[in-house]
């Protein structure tokens, strides 16, 4: 994660092109970085794998498109933890479902947003006999609508969105708390990634990594997208940079 520069990426891509593997699994931000390089340079990746399983981060729509095109494969969204307490996987029906044979996953309601229920995950794993966790609060939030049903007949709730950590939220001037602004990024133009940072209540900084086609009109459009969701009382600053902000473990946090 920390060495994916243009100087080093060819070595990573060539290594993956030689490996006789069935699938890739990992941070989507990392594989997207490789995918963007492949698409930009015209490198011919001749070792297509059966699937890419995204984990640990939110799989952004344009990351999915880049990965599927560059590696000639299908990208699937998967959620889990190192504690092996619960799992949610995207299936061929097109929906995310709780993996019931992996663990018992309870959805504890913490709020309602735009007709969907926001819930905290409480999980009991069924596979880790060395360190069993019973009704473990993972610290992550999901959104679902109890009225949703799966056309393929899969049981359990359809998880519409995995929002992230319960401790991460934005505070607006009127006291409202918003746990996720990730849905706004798909409406922004010519950006490789968007992250939102709040260092004091009532003000945010949009940290964006632009594409080469990004221009002032795209920045104005980005501001209008966030204004429509947050209102005019929030101070909004835009910071453009060459790379996203990563956590100490190399994760991309929205």
């Amino acid at each position: 994660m920390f060495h994916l520069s243009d100087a080093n990426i060819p070595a990573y891509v060539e290594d993956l092109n030689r490996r006789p593997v069935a699938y890739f699994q990992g941070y989507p931000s990392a594989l997207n970085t490789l995918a963007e390089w492949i698409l930009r340079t015209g490198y011919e990746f001749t070792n297509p794998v059966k699937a890419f399983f995204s984990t640990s981060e939110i799989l952004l729509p344009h990351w999915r498109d880049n990965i599927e095109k560059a590696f000639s494969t299908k990208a699937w969204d998967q959620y889990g933890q190192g504690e092996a307490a619960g799992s949610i996987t995207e299936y061929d029906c097109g929906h995310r479902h709780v993996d019931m044979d992996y663990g018992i996953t309870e959805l504890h309601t913490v709020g309602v947003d735009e007709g969907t229920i926001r819930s905290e995950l409480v999980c009991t794993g069924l596979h880790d006999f060395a360190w069993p966790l019973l009704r473990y609060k993972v610290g992550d939030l999901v959104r679902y609508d109890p009225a949703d049903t799966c056309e393929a007949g899969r049981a359990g709730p359809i998880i519409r969105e995995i929002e992230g950590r319960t401790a991460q939220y934005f505070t607006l001037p009127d006291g409202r708390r918003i746990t996720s602004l990730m849905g706004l990024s798909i409406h922004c133009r010519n950006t490789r990634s968007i992250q939102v940072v709040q260092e004091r209540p009532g003000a945010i900084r949009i940290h964006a990594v632009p594409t080469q086609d990004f221009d002032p009109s795209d920045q104005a459009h980005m501001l209008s997208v966030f204004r429509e969701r947050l209102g005019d009382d929030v101070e909004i600053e835009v910071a453009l940079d060459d790379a996203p902000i990563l956590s100490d473990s190399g994760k991309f946090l929205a």
Side-chain angles (χ1 to χ4, degrees), residues 126-178:
L126 299 176
H127 292 271
D128 191 344
F129 300 113
W131 184 26
L133 295 172
L134 307 179
R135 305 196 75 206
Y136 171 60
K137 282 192 173 184
V138 177
D140 287 331
L141 296 171
V142 300
R143 286 199 307 116
Y144 76 102
D145 185 342
D148 287 344
T149 57
C150 177
E151 302 84 356
R154 292 189 182 275
I158 293 172
I159 304 301
R160 289 198 181 184
E161 185 178 354
I162 299 165
E163 289 197 341
R165 309 299 290 181
T166 54
Q168 294 176 344
Y169 55 83
F170 303 98
T171 303
L172 302 185
D174 60 5
R176 285 182 296 151
R177 292 181 176 184
I178 296 180

Short mmCIF file of all heavy atoms in Angstrom, two decimals, residues 126-178:
data_model
loop_
_atom_site.label_atom_id
_atom_site.label_comp_id
_atom_site.label_asym_id
_atom_site.label_seq_id
_atom_site.Cartn_x
_atom_site.Cartn_y
_atom_site.Cartn_z
N LEU A 126 -19.06 -18.09 14.36
CA LEU A 126 -19.30 -19.53 14.49
C LEU A 126 -18.08 -20.37 14.13
O LEU A 126 -18.16 -21.60 14.12
CB LEU A 126 -20.47 -19.94 13.58
CG LEU A 126 -21.83 -19.28 13.89
CD1 LEU A 126 -22.87 -19.71 12.86
CD2 LEU A 126 -22.30 -19.62 15.28
N HIS A 127 -16.96 -19.73 13.82
CA HIS A 127 -15.82 -20.49 13.31
C HIS A 127 -14.57 -20.37 14.17
O HIS A 127 -13.67 -21.19 14.05
CB HIS A 127 -15.48 -20.03 11.88
CG HIS A 127 -16.53 -20.41 10.88
ND1 HIS A 127 -16.53 -21.60 10.21
CD2 HIS A 127 -17.64 -19.75 10.46
CE1 HIS A 127 -17.58 -21.67 9.40
NE2 HIS A 127 -18.27 -20.56 9.55
N ASP A 128 -14.50 -19.36 15.01
CA ASP A 128 -13.27 -19.13 15.78
C ASP A 128 -13.42 -19.76 17.17
O ASP A 128 -13.95 -19.15 18.09
CB ASP A 128 -12.99 -17.63 15.89
CG ASP A 128 -11.61 -17.34 16.45
OD1 ASP A 128 -11.00 -18.27 17.02
OD2 ASP A 128 -11.15 -16.20 16.33
N PHE A 129 -12.92 -20.99 17.31
CA PHE A 129 -13.06 -21.70 18.59
C PHE A 129 -11.95 -21.33 19.57
O PHE A 129 -12.05 -21.60 20.76
CB PHE A 129 -13.08 -23.21 18.34
CG PHE A 129 -14.20 -23.66 17.46
CD1 PHE A 129 -13.94 -24.17 16.19
CD2 PHE A 129 -15.51 -23.53 17.87
CE1 PHE A 129 -14.98 -24.56 15.36
CE2 PHE A 129 -16.56 -23.92 17.05
CZ PHE A 129 -16.29 -24.44 15.79
N ALA A 130 -10.87 -20.72 19.08
CA ALA A 130 -9.77 -20.33 19.96
C ALA A 130 -10.10 -19.04 20.71
O ALA A 130 -9.70 -18.86 21.86
CB ALA A 130 -8.49 -20.16 19.15
N TRP A 131 -10.83 -18.13 20.04
CA TRP A 131 -11.16 -16.85 20.65
C TRP A 131 -12.60 -16.48 20.29
O TRP A 131 -12.84 -15.59 19.49
CB TRP A 131 -10.18 -15.76 20.15
CG TRP A 131 -10.36 -14.42 20.80
CD1 TRP A 131 -10.87 -14.15 22.03
CD2 TRP A 131 -10.03 -13.15 20.23
NE1 TRP A 131 -10.88 -12.80 22.26
CE2 TRP A 131 -10.36 -12.17 21.18
CE3 TRP A 131 -9.47 -12.76 19.01
CZ2 TRP A 131 -10.16 -10.80 20.94
CZ3 TRP A 131 -9.28 -11.41 18.77
CH2 TRP A 131 -9.61 -10.45 19.73
N PRO A 132 -13.57 -17.20 20.85
CA PRO A 132 -14.97 -16.93 20.50
C PRO A 132 -15.43 -15.59 21.03
O PRO A 132 -15.13 -15.22 22.16
CB PRO A 132 -15.73 -18.08 21.17
CG PRO A 132 -14.85 -18.50 22.31
CD PRO A 132 -13.43 -18.28 21.84
N LEU A 133 -16.14 -14.85 20.18
CA LEU A 133 -16.70 -13.55 20.57
C LEU A 133 -18.23 -13.68 20.53
O LEU A 133 -18.80 -14.01 19.50
CB LEU A 133 -16.24 -12.46 19.61
CG LEU A 133 -14.73 -12.17 19.62
CD1 LEU A 133 -14.37 -11.21 18.49
CD2 LEU A 133 -14.31 -11.59 20.96
N LEU A 134 -18.87 -13.39 21.66
CA LEU A 134 -20.31 -13.53 21.78
C LEU A 134 -20.96 -12.15 21.83
O LEU A 134 -20.62 -11.34 22.69
CB LEU A 134 -20.68 -14.32 23.05
CG LEU A 134 -19.99 -15.68 23.22
CD1 LEU A 134 -20.43 -16.34 24.51
CD2 LEU A 134 -20.27 -16.57 22.03
N ARG A 135 -21.85 -11.90 20.88
CA ARG A 135 -22.56 -10.62 20.78
C ARG A 135 -21.57 -9.46 20.85
O ARG A 135 -21.68 -8.55 21.65
CB ARG A 135 -23.63 -10.51 21.86
CG ARG A 135 -24.61 -11.68 21.85
CD ARG A 135 -25.85 -11.37 22.63
NE ARG A 135 -26.72 -10.45 21.89
CZ ARG A 135 -27.60 -9.62 22.48
NH1 ARG A 135 -27.69 -9.59 23.78
NH2 ARG A 135 -28.33 -8.83 21.73
N TYR A 136 -20.63 -9.52 19.96
CA TYR A 136 -19.52 -8.57 19.88
C TYR A 136 -19.93 -7.34 19.08
O TYR A 136 -20.37 -7.45 17.94
CB TYR A 136 -18.32 -9.27 19.23
CG TYR A 136 -17.15 -8.38 18.89
CD1 TYR A 136 -16.47 -7.67 19.87
CD2 TYR A 136 -16.69 -8.31 17.58
CE1 TYR A 136 -15.38 -6.89 19.55
CE2 TYR A 136 -15.60 -7.52 17.25
CZ TYR A 136 -14.95 -6.81 18.23
OH TYR A 136 -13.87 -6.04 17.92
N LYS A 137 -19.80 -6.17 19.69
CA LYS A 137 -20.09 -4.92 18.97
C LYS A 137 -18.89 -4.59 18.09
O LYS A 137 -17.85 -4.15 18.58
CB LYS A 137 -20.36 -3.78 19.96
CG LYS A 137 -21.74 -3.80 20.57
CD LYS A 137 -22.02 -2.49 21.30
CE LYS A 137 -23.46 -2.43 21.78
NZ LYS A 137 -23.76 -1.11 22.40
N VAL A 138 -19.07 -4.81 16.80
CA VAL A 138 -17.98 -4.62 15.84
C VAL A 138 -17.57 -3.16 15.75
O VAL A 138 -16.39 -2.83 15.59
CB VAL A 138 -18.40 -5.16 14.46
CG1 VAL A 138 -17.31 -4.92 13.44
CG2 VAL A 138 -18.73 -6.64 14.55
N GLY A 139 -18.57 -2.26 15.86
CA GLY A 139 -18.30 -0.84 15.72
C GLY A 139 -18.61 -0.30 14.34
O GLY A 139 -18.23 0.83 14.02
N ASP A 140 -19.30 -1.10 13.51
CA ASP A 140 -19.63 -0.68 12.15
C ASP A 140 -21.14 -0.52 11.98
O ASP A 140 -21.93 -1.18 12.67
CB ASP A 140 -19.12 -1.70 11.12
CG ASP A 140 -17.62 -1.64 10.97
OD1 ASP A 140 -17.05 -0.55 11.16
OD2 ASP A 140 -17.01 -2.67 10.64
N LEU A 141 -21.51 0.36 11.05
CA LEU A 141 -22.91 0.64 10.76
C LEU A 141 -23.27 0.19 9.35
O LEU A 141 -22.45 0.27 8.43
CB LEU A 141 -23.19 2.14 10.88
CG LEU A 141 -23.02 2.79 12.25
CD1 LEU A 141 -23.12 4.30 12.13
CD2 LEU A 141 -24.08 2.27 13.22
N VAL A 142 -24.51 -0.28 9.19
CA VAL A 142 -25.04 -0.63 7.87
C VAL A 142 -26.42 -0.01 7.71
O VAL A 142 -27.03 0.44 8.69
CB VAL A 142 -25.14 -2.16 7.68
CG1 VAL A 142 -23.77 -2.82 7.83
CG2 VAL A 142 -26.13 -2.78 8.68
N ARG A 143 -26.89 0.05 6.46
CA ARG A 143 -28.24 0.53 6.19
C ARG A 143 -29.01 -0.55 5.45
O ARG A 143 -28.47 -1.21 4.56
CB ARG A 143 -28.22 1.81 5.36
CG ARG A 143 -27.80 3.05 6.11
CD ARG A 143 -28.21 4.34 5.42
NE ARG A 143 -27.80 4.42 4.03
CZ ARG A 143 -28.64 4.49 3.00
NH1 ARG A 143 -29.95 4.47 3.19
NH2 ARG A 143 -28.18 4.57 1.77
N TYR A 144 -30.30 -0.72 5.80
CA TYR A 144 -31.14 -1.70 5.11
C TYR A 144 -32.60 -1.28 5.21
O TYR A 144 -32.97 -0.44 6.03
CB TYR A 144 -30.94 -3.10 5.68
CG TYR A 144 -31.62 -3.35 7.01
CD1 TYR A 144 -32.81 -4.07 7.09
CD2 TYR A 144 -31.07 -2.86 8.20
CE1 TYR A 144 -33.43 -4.29 8.31
CE2 TYR A 144 -31.68 -3.08 9.41
CZ TYR A 144 -32.87 -3.79 9.46
OH TYR A 144 -33.49 -4.00 10.67
N ASP A 145 -33.42 -1.86 4.34
CA ASP A 145 -34.86 -1.64 4.35
C ASP A 145 -35.53 -3.00 4.58
O ASP A 145 -35.38 -3.91 3.74
CB ASP A 145 -35.32 -1.05 3.02
CG ASP A 145 -36.80 -0.69 3.01
OD1 ASP A 145 -37.54 -1.20 3.87
OD2 ASP A 145 -37.23 0.09 2.14
N PRO A 146 -36.24 -3.19 5.68
CA PRO A 146 -36.87 -4.49 5.97
C PRO A 146 -37.83 -4.96 4.88
O PRO A 146 -38.10 -6.15 4.76
CB PRO A 146 -37.61 -4.26 7.29
CG PRO A 146 -36.97 -3.05 7.89
CD PRO A 146 -36.51 -2.20 6.74
N ALA A 147 -38.32 -4.01 4.06
CA ALA A 147 -39.27 -4.37 3.01
C ALA A 147 -38.59 -4.97 1.79
O ALA A 147 -39.26 -5.56 0.93
CB ALA A 147 -40.08 -3.14 2.60
N ASP A 148 -37.27 -4.82 1.68
CA ASP A 148 -36.55 -5.37 0.52
C ASP A 148 -36.58 -6.89 0.53
O ASP A 148 -36.41 -7.52 1.58
CB ASP A 148 -35.09 -4.91 0.53
CG ASP A 148 -34.94 -3.44 0.17
OD1 ASP A 148 -35.90 -2.86 -0.38
OD2 ASP A 148 -33.85 -2.88 0.42
N THR A 149 -36.80 -7.48 -0.63
CA THR A 149 -36.74 -8.93 -0.77
C THR A 149 -35.82 -9.29 -1.93
O THR A 149 -35.70 -8.53 -2.89
CB THR A 149 -38.13 -9.54 -1.02
OG1 THR A 149 -38.70 -8.93 -2.20
CG2 THR A 149 -39.05 -9.31 0.16
N CYS A 150 -35.18 -10.43 -1.84
CA CYS A 150 -34.24 -10.88 -2.86
C CYS A 150 -34.98 -11.70 -3.91
O CYS A 150 -35.66 -12.69 -3.58
CB CYS A 150 -33.13 -11.71 -2.23
SG CYS A 150 -31.95 -12.38 -3.42
N GLU A 151 -34.85 -11.30 -5.16
CA GLU A 151 -35.53 -12.00 -6.26
C GLU A 151 -35.05 -13.44 -6.38
O GLU A 151 -35.78 -14.32 -6.85
CB GLU A 151 -35.31 -11.27 -7.58
CG GLU A 151 -35.80 -9.82 -7.59
CD GLU A 151 -34.79 -8.85 -7.01
OE1 GLU A 151 -33.73 -9.31 -6.51
OE2 GLU A 151 -35.06 -7.64 -7.02
N ALA A 152 -33.80 -13.68 -5.96
CA ALA A 152 -33.24 -15.04 -6.05
C ALA A 152 -33.66 -15.92 -4.88
O ALA A 152 -33.32 -17.11 -4.85
CB ALA A 152 -31.72 -14.97 -6.14
N GLY A 153 -34.35 -15.34 -3.90
CA GLY A 153 -34.84 -16.13 -2.79
C GLY A 153 -33.88 -16.28 -1.63
O GLY A 153 -34.13 -17.07 -0.71
N ARG A 154 -32.78 -15.53 -1.63
CA ARG A 154 -31.85 -15.62 -0.51
C ARG A 154 -32.49 -15.04 0.74
O ARG A 154 -33.15 -14.01 0.70
CB ARG A 154 -30.54 -14.89 -0.82
CG ARG A 154 -29.72 -15.55 -1.90
CD ARG A 154 -28.34 -14.91 -2.01
NE ARG A 154 -27.56 -15.52 -3.07
CZ ARG A 154 -26.83 -16.61 -2.95
NH1 ARG A 154 -26.79 -17.22 -1.77
NH2 ARG A 154 -26.16 -17.10 -3.96
N ALA A 155 -32.25 -15.69 1.86
CA ALA A 155 -32.89 -15.30 3.12
C ALA A 155 -32.15 -14.14 3.77
O ALA A 155 -31.00 -13.84 3.45
CB ALA A 155 -32.92 -16.49 4.07
N GLY A 156 -32.83 -13.50 4.70
CA GLY A 156 -32.21 -12.45 5.49
C GLY A 156 -32.33 -11.08 4.84
O GLY A 156 -32.73 -10.94 3.68
N PRO A 157 -31.99 -10.04 5.60
CA PRO A 157 -32.10 -8.67 5.08
C PRO A 157 -31.08 -8.39 3.98
O PRO A 157 -29.99 -8.96 3.97
CB PRO A 157 -31.83 -7.81 6.32
CG PRO A 157 -30.97 -8.68 7.19
CD PRO A 157 -31.47 -10.08 6.98
N ILE A 158 -31.46 -7.52 3.06
CA ILE A 158 -30.55 -7.04 2.03
C ILE A 158 -29.83 -5.81 2.57
O ILE A 158 -30.48 -4.82 2.94
CB ILE A 158 -31.31 -6.68 0.74
CG1 ILE A 158 -31.89 -7.96 0.11
CG2 ILE A 158 -30.41 -5.95 -0.25
CD1 ILE A 158 -32.81 -7.68 -1.07
N ILE A 159 -28.53 -5.87 2.65
CA ILE A 159 -27.75 -4.75 3.18
C ILE A 159 -27.48 -3.79 2.04
O ILE A 159 -26.73 -4.10 1.11
CB ILE A 159 -26.43 -5.24 3.81
CG1 ILE A 159 -26.71 -6.29 4.90
CG2 ILE A 159 -25.65 -4.06 4.38
CD1 ILE A 159 -27.59 -5.82 6.02
N ARG A 160 -28.10 -2.62 2.10
CA ARG A 160 -27.95 -1.65 1.01
C ARG A 160 -26.58 -0.98 1.03
O ARG A 160 -26.02 -0.69 -0.03
CB ARG A 160 -29.04 -0.59 1.10
CG ARG A 160 -30.42 -1.09 0.76
CD ARG A 160 -31.32 0.10 0.46
NE ARG A 160 -32.68 -0.29 0.15
CZ ARG A 160 -33.63 0.56 -0.22
NH1 ARG A 160 -33.33 1.87 -0.31
NH2 ARG A 160 -34.84 0.14 -0.50
N GLU A 161 -26.08 -0.70 2.23
CA GLU A 161 -24.83 0.06 2.32
C GLU A 161 -24.12 -0.25 3.63
O GLU A 161 -24.76 -0.44 4.66
CB GLU A 161 -25.13 1.56 2.24
CG GLU A 161 -23.90 2.44 2.20
CD GLU A 161 -24.24 3.92 2.08
OE1 GLU A 161 -25.43 4.24 1.92
OE2 GLU A 161 -23.32 4.74 2.16
N ILE A 162 -22.81 -0.36 3.55
CA ILE A 162 -21.97 -0.47 4.74
C ILE A 162 -21.35 0.90 4.97
O ILE A 162 -20.57 1.38 4.15
CB ILE A 162 -20.89 -1.55 4.56
CG1 ILE A 162 -21.56 -2.91 4.33
CG2 ILE A 162 -19.97 -1.60 5.77
CD1 ILE A 162 -20.64 -3.97 3.79
N GLU A 163 -21.72 1.55 6.06
CA GLU A 163 -21.40 2.96 6.23
C GLU A 163 -20.07 3.22 6.93
O GLU A 163 -19.45 4.25 6.74
CB GLU A 163 -22.51 3.67 7.02
CG GLU A 163 -23.79 3.84 6.23
CD GLU A 163 -24.70 4.88 6.85
OE1 GLU A 163 -24.51 5.21 8.03
OE2 GLU A 163 -25.58 5.39 6.14
N GLY A 164 -19.60 2.30 7.75
CA GLY A 164 -18.34 2.55 8.44
C GLY A 164 -18.50 2.55 9.95
O GLY A 164 -19.47 2.04 10.49
N ARG A 165 -17.54 3.15 10.61
CA ARG A 165 -17.44 3.05 12.06
C ARG A 165 -18.47 3.92 12.79
O ARG A 165 -18.79 5.02 12.37
CB ARG A 165 -16.04 3.47 12.52
CG ARG A 165 -14.91 2.79 11.80
CD ARG A 165 -14.92 1.28 11.96
NE ARG A 165 -14.57 0.88 13.31
CZ ARG A 165 -14.49 -0.39 13.71
NH1 ARG A 165 -14.75 -1.37 12.86
NH2 ARG A 165 -14.16 -0.68 14.95
N THR A 166 -18.95 3.40 13.94
CA THR A 166 -19.92 4.15 14.75
C THR A 166 -19.29 5.41 15.33
O THR A 166 -19.99 6.38 15.62
CB THR A 166 -20.43 3.27 15.90
OG1 THR A 166 -19.30 2.78 16.64
CG2 THR A 166 -21.23 2.11 15.39
N ALA A 167 -17.97 5.41 15.52
CA ALA A 167 -17.30 6.56 16.15
C ALA A 167 -16.98 7.66 15.15
O ALA A 167 -16.48 8.71 15.53
CB ALA A 167 -16.02 6.10 16.84
N GLN A 168 -17.25 7.43 13.87
CA GLN A 168 -16.92 8.42 12.85
C GLN A 168 -18.21 9.09 12.37
O GLN A 168 -19.07 8.44 11.80
CB GLN A 168 -16.21 7.76 11.67
CG GLN A 168 -14.83 7.20 12.04
CD GLN A 168 -14.18 6.48 10.89
OE1 GLN A 168 -14.83 6.12 9.92
NE2 GLN A 168 -12.89 6.26 10.99
N TYR A 169 -18.32 10.38 12.62
CA TYR A 169 -19.48 11.12 12.16
C TYR A 169 -19.12 12.59 12.04
O TYR A 169 -18.11 13.05 12.58
CB TYR A 169 -20.67 10.93 13.11
CG TYR A 169 -20.38 11.30 14.54
CD1 TYR A 169 -20.44 12.62 14.98
CD2 TYR A 169 -20.04 10.33 15.47
CE1 TYR A 169 -20.16 12.97 16.29
CE2 TYR A 169 -19.76 10.66 16.79
CZ TYR A 169 -19.83 11.97 17.19
OH TYR A 169 -19.56 12.30 18.48
N PHE A 170 -19.94 13.32 11.30
CA PHE A 170 -19.75 14.75 11.12
C PHE A 170 -20.80 15.49 11.94
O PHE A 170 -21.95 15.07 12.00
CB PHE A 170 -19.89 15.14 9.64
CG PHE A 170 -18.95 14.40 8.74
CD1 PHE A 170 -19.36 13.28 8.04
CD2 PHE A 170 -17.64 14.82 8.60
CE1 PHE A 170 -18.50 12.58 7.23
CE2 PHE A 170 -16.76 14.14 7.79
CZ PHE A 170 -17.18 13.01 7.09
N THR A 171 -20.38 16.58 12.57
CA THR A 171 -21.30 17.40 13.35
C THR A 171 -21.60 18.69 12.58
O THR A 171 -20.69 19.43 12.24
CB THR A 171 -20.69 17.76 14.72
OG1 THR A 171 -20.36 16.55 15.41
CG2 THR A 171 -21.68 18.55 15.56
N LEU A 172 -22.89 18.94 12.34
CA LEU A 172 -23.31 20.13 11.62
C LEU A 172 -23.62 21.26 12.61
O LEU A 172 -23.78 21.01 13.81
CB LEU A 172 -24.54 19.80 10.77
CG LEU A 172 -24.36 18.67 9.75
CD1 LEU A 172 -25.61 18.54 8.89
CD2 LEU A 172 -23.14 18.91 8.88
N PRO A 173 -23.69 22.50 12.13
CA PRO A 173 -23.92 23.64 13.03
C PRO A 173 -25.18 23.52 13.87
O PRO A 173 -25.24 24.02 15.00
CB PRO A 173 -24.00 24.83 12.07
CG PRO A 173 -23.18 24.43 10.91
CD PRO A 173 -23.42 22.95 10.75
N ASP A 174 -26.22 22.85 13.34
CA ASP A 174 -27.48 22.73 14.09
C ASP A 174 -27.48 21.54 15.04
O ASP A 174 -28.51 21.23 15.64
CB ASP A 174 -28.66 22.65 13.13
CG ASP A 174 -28.58 21.45 12.19
OD1 ASP A 174 -27.65 20.63 12.35
OD2 ASP A 174 -29.44 21.33 11.29
N GLY A 175 -26.33 20.86 15.16
CA GLY A 175 -26.23 19.74 16.09
C GLY A 175 -26.44 18.38 15.47
O GLY A 175 -26.22 17.35 16.11
N ARG A 176 -26.91 18.33 14.23
CA ARG A 176 -27.12 17.05 13.57
C ARG A 176 -25.79 16.31 13.39
O ARG A 176 -24.75 16.93 13.21
CB ARG A 176 -27.77 17.24 12.20
CG ARG A 176 -29.25 17.57 12.24
CD ARG A 176 -29.78 17.69 10.82
NE ARG A 176 -29.15 18.80 10.09
CZ ARG A 176 -28.98 18.83 8.77
NH1 ARG A 176 -29.35 17.81 8.04
NH2 ARG A 176 -28.42 19.88 8.20
N ARG A 177 -25.87 14.98 13.41
CA ARG A 177 -24.70 14.15 13.17
C ARG A 177 -24.95 13.31 11.92
O ARG A 177 -26.01 12.69 11.78
CB ARG A 177 -24.41 13.23 14.35
CG ARG A 177 -23.96 13.98 15.60
CD ARG A 177 -23.64 13.02 16.73
NE ARG A 177 -23.12 13.72 17.90
CZ ARG A 177 -22.71 13.10 19.00
NH1 ARG A 177 -22.75 11.79 19.07
NH2 ARG A 177 -22.24 13.80 20.02
N ILE A 178 -23.99 13.30 11.04
CA ILE A 178 -24.08 12.50 9.82
C ILE A 178 -22.94 11.49 9.83
O ILE A 178 -21.78 11.85 10.00
CB ILE A 178 -23.99 13.39 8.56
CG1 ILE A 178 -25.19 14.34 8.51
CG2 ILE A 178 -23.92 12.55 7.30
CD1 ILE A 178 -25.18 15.26 7.31
#
